[in-house]
Amino acid sequence: MDSFAHTTLVVELQAGDTERFAVLAHLSYDAADPFVVTAVFSHRGRVLARWQLDREMLGDGLRRPVGIGDVRLRPTDDGTWEELRMEFLGDARPDGGRHHAVVFAWAPAVSTFLRRTWQLVPPGREEVRIDDFLAQLTTGP
């Protein structure tokens, strides 16, 4: 059985006060780490950012605003286009602020990807292998 899901989406990035521009979002899911969706954003072959997102939070963000920390998600709908708005707060800037970016993804495409992950590991069936985790901690690098 396949234990990995991946998709590449064209999304729009808005950094600071700039206009939106198209970038690629590579979403991946590995059933061996069932709570995590990895999002890699790239433009012209260059990786702009890599984030690990909570899979349940990503699904909830399609329906309602979620997140209070570095990642905040919420649905948006302008009447013709349903999007998932993903707000990311990054490292501190020299001026004391933080790097900030907003990514807009077509919500139905994110939903389709999440459905594939749910086929691999249904919600509520995720397993935490604590013995494996503890063994990694005790053996070190």
Side-chain angles (χ1 to χ4, degrees), residues 109-138:
V110 176
S111 292
T112 297
F113 172 75
L114 282 174
R115 277 194 300 277
R116 290 202 325 254
T117 75
W118 296 332
Q119 290 170 345
L120 296 174
V121 179
R125 297 263 175 104
E126 300 92 346
E127 291 183 16
V128 178
R129 294 186 173 98
I130 194 70
D131 292 336
D132 294 342
F133 175 71
L134 292 174
Q136 282 181 327
L137 287 177
T138 57

Side-chain angles (χ1 to χ4, degrees), residues 58-92:
L58 189 59
D60 289 345
L62 290 166
R63 294 184 304 279
R64 61 181 174 81
V66 294
I68 56 173
D70 293 342
V71 178
R72 299 171 190 164
L73 310 173
R74 68 179 164 93
T76 63
D77 186 348
D78 66 3
T80 59
W81 195 256
E82 293 177 31
E83 294 177 312
L84 173 63
R85 181 185 192 275
M86 298 178 276
E87 182 177 4
F88 300 98
L89 297 171
D91 295 332

